[in-house]
Amino acid sequence: NTINWIPESIGKGRFGDWLENVQDWGISRNRYWGTPLNIWECECGCQHSIGSIEELKSMSDNCPDDIELHRPFIDAVTINTPTFTHKQIALDCIRAGKHVYVEKPITQTAEELVEVLAEARKSNKVFLGGSNGLLQRQMRMFRQLVSSGRMGETYLMTIDRCSSRNQEYGMHSLSGKHGSGISSHSGSHNVEWALYLLGDPNPVSVQARGYYQTQSLSLSGVPETYDDDTCIATVYFDNGATFLFKALRAAPGQDKYVMNLYGDKMSLSYDVLKCYKQQSDDCIHLYEHDPILGMQEIIPKFQCGKTHADMYEHFFSCIRDHIPCISNGDRGLVTMRILDAMEQSILHGGCQIFL
């Protein structure tokens, strides 16, 4: 009677009488009803026992602040896993008949993704994959500005990102290749954003330079051995648009993460760092030229999405309401082809790779 049962009815009646008279008990045994052990095992073989709610939150992107662990059902709480494990985990879940959401990058290579998508298409379950930022309400607003013609002909998107050396997610201390270079870590987001906002054009060619950091930035030359800490890339599309990508991590510079989108009638600037880190809605600025008044700055009164909640809501809506997935893997496959070409260009000293 001292146990706080949730729901309360579980601890009463026949079950309460049975529990009161049970003679043997062990939470890890299957002889009696009990609680699963909190052991998480990764596909790479690593095992970890999560010891507290605080630790669970630190390892997860979507653990609710008020999570209740004593319920007769399982919450959908994800734990981040290394990129090289994504393919096998996704295949196992698909073959087990599960709805699957794989965050960016979906797999390490386009070849791996082709295999995953082939299995996903054979199932009757939802497959969602790609950048969690794609479904933020501000991204939908940007897409509407483009598709409505308000921006005119949209021809250029740029990403300028720098994570300073004191950032906790800087991975410059890792030795060896882990599939987590900045071209993959940030590029998998930003390339997909470019495809989405520029109208899903076909890539024509990619040119990239990569740098690996020891004590200072130097030309990598060995992307097959080490992950890149800096990537500068240009992607050309068949509709005439261009994507310029510059991203640095663990760099001796000021933190910055800005996306710019240019049309011949309007341009926009989106400060991603200000949105997510500072939780500010003053992160979007639009610029258009008026024949009489000249250049005008527009600051929209708009509440941005600042968590992964929008993507998870879309995932659940696809399952519950059978609506089409905005990222069913098709755009992700084009993204992976571009990322593969980036790595090949880095490997060959920045030469142009045609797709």
Side-chain angles (χ1 to χ4, degrees):
N1 294 327
T2 62
I3 297 174
N4 179 28
W5 294 101
I6 302 176
E8 186 178 353
S9 58
I10 289 179
K12 296 181 179 180
R14 293 177 59 187
F15 183 83
D17 293 338
W18 170 81
L19 184 61
E20 185 176 357
N21 293 291
V22 73
Q23 299 299 312
D24 197 0
W25 183 257
I27 63 168
S28 64
R29 299 180 63 178
N30 59 12
R31 181 176 176 182
Y32 299 112
W33 179 89
T35 302
L37 293 177
N38 56 325
I39 305 296
W40 176 76
E41 183 173 3
C42 179
E43 289 294 318
C44 67
C46 174
Q47 290 185 333
H48 182 69
S49 173
I50 297 178
S52 65
I53 292 178
E54 288 72 23
E55 184 178 2
L56 176 63
K57 290 179 179 179
S58 72
M59 296 182 68
S60 174
D61 290 329
N62 70 322
C63 183
D65 290 335
D66 58 347
I67 188 170
E68 171 56 64
L69 300 178
H70 302 88
R71 291 189 287 193
F73 53 88
I74 299 174
D75 291 299
V77 176
T78 58
I79 296 176
N80 298 329
T81 57
T83 303
F84 68 86
T85 67
H86 288 189
K87 172 192 168 184
Q88 195 56 52
I89 293 175
L91 288 174
D92 289 344
C93 291
I94 293 168
R95 289 165 181 166
K98 305 298 182 183
H99 300 288
V100 176
Y101 167 38
V102 185
E103 223 263 290
K104 61 83 189 171
I106 306 176
T107 54
Q108 276 196 291
T109 66
E111 184 179 5
E112 289 186 353
L113 183 52
V114 168
E115 184 178 350
V116 171
L117 290 180
E119 287 293 319
R121 300 297 185 257
K122 290 189 294 186
S123 74
N124 61 348
K125 301 298 182 180
V126 171
F127 180 84
L128 179 66
S131 170
N132 57 64
L134 199 63
L135 261 183
Q136 299 291 16
R137 58 201 71 155
Q138 56 268 34
M139 281 293 174
R140 296 198 296 272
M141 181 188 76
F142 301 158
R143 177 70 179 249
Q144 289 169 1
L145 283 172
V146 173
S147 60
S148 68
R150 177 76 182 274
M151 296 190 68
E153 183 181 357
T154 309
Y155 60 91
L156 175 64
M157 176 174 154
T158 68
I159 288 288
D160 189 359
R161 182 172 189 177
C162 177
S163 301
S164 67
R165 193 163 291 180
N166 63 358
Q167 285 292 320
E168 61 181 1
Y169 58 86
M171 302 177 190
H172 61 289
S173 61
L174 293 177
S175 60
K177 191 170 182 65
H178 296 261
S180 56
I182 192 66
S183 58
S184 174
H185 172 71
S186 183
S188 52
H189 270 304
N190 304 140
V191 169
E192 190 168 8
W193 294 2
L195 291 169
Y196 178 66
L197 295 176
L198 294 174
D200 285 308
N202 294 313
V204 174
S205 66
V206 177
Q207 195 166 11
R209 278 282 195 175
Y211 299 82
Y212 169 71
Q213 179 174 301
T214 50
Q215 296 301 315
S216 61
L217 291 175
S218 58
L219 273 174
S220 169
V222 284
E224 73 280 8
T225 306
Y226 296 105
D227 290 317
D228 53 290
D229 291 306
T230 292
C231 181
I232 303 103
T234 306
V235 183
Y236 300 99
F237 298 103
D238 64 352
N239 65 352
T242 301
F243 172 52
L244 299 179
F245 173 72
K246 183 184 77 174
L248 303 83
R249 68 173 176 200
Q254 185 178 10
D255 291 336
K256 176 169 54 175
Y257 191 178
V258 177
M259 183 198 86
N260 290 296
L261 186 64
Y262 297 91
D264 57 8
K265 293 182 180 179
M266 176 186 285
S267 67
L268 70 85
S269 179
Y270 171 39
D271 191 327
V272 185
L273 205 62
K274 195 170 186 179
C275 177
Y276 284 94
K277 294 296 182 181
Q278 299 179 21
Q279 296 286 291
S280 172
D281 289 325
D282 182 25
C283 57
I284 301 171
H285 294 251
L286 308 175
Y287 304 90
E288 66 178 348
H289 184 267
D290 184 274
I292 299 176
L293 300 176
M295 188 62 65
Q296 302 291 304
E297 180 180 10
I298 304 169
I299 302 176
K301 294 181 179 180
F302 186 81
Q303 186 175 10
C304 294
K306 305 179 182 71
T307 70
H308 293 180
D310 286 340
M311 183 59 95
Y312 291 117
E313 177 58 34
H314 177 65
F315 181 46
F316 299 143
S317 295
C318 293
I319 297 170
R320 182 182 59 243
D321 304 325
H322 307 290
I323 66 172
C325 285
I326 193 172
S327 296
N328 64 359
D330 292 339
R331 188 183 296 112
L333 185 56
V334 180
T335 299
M336 292 309 306
R337 288 174 56 211
I338 293 173
L339 295 180
D340 287 353
M342 279 187 188
E343 183 166 347
Q344 287 301 309
S345 182
I346 292 171
L347 179 62
H348 292 92
C351 72
Q352 194 168 10
I353 304 295
F354 289 90
L355 299 171

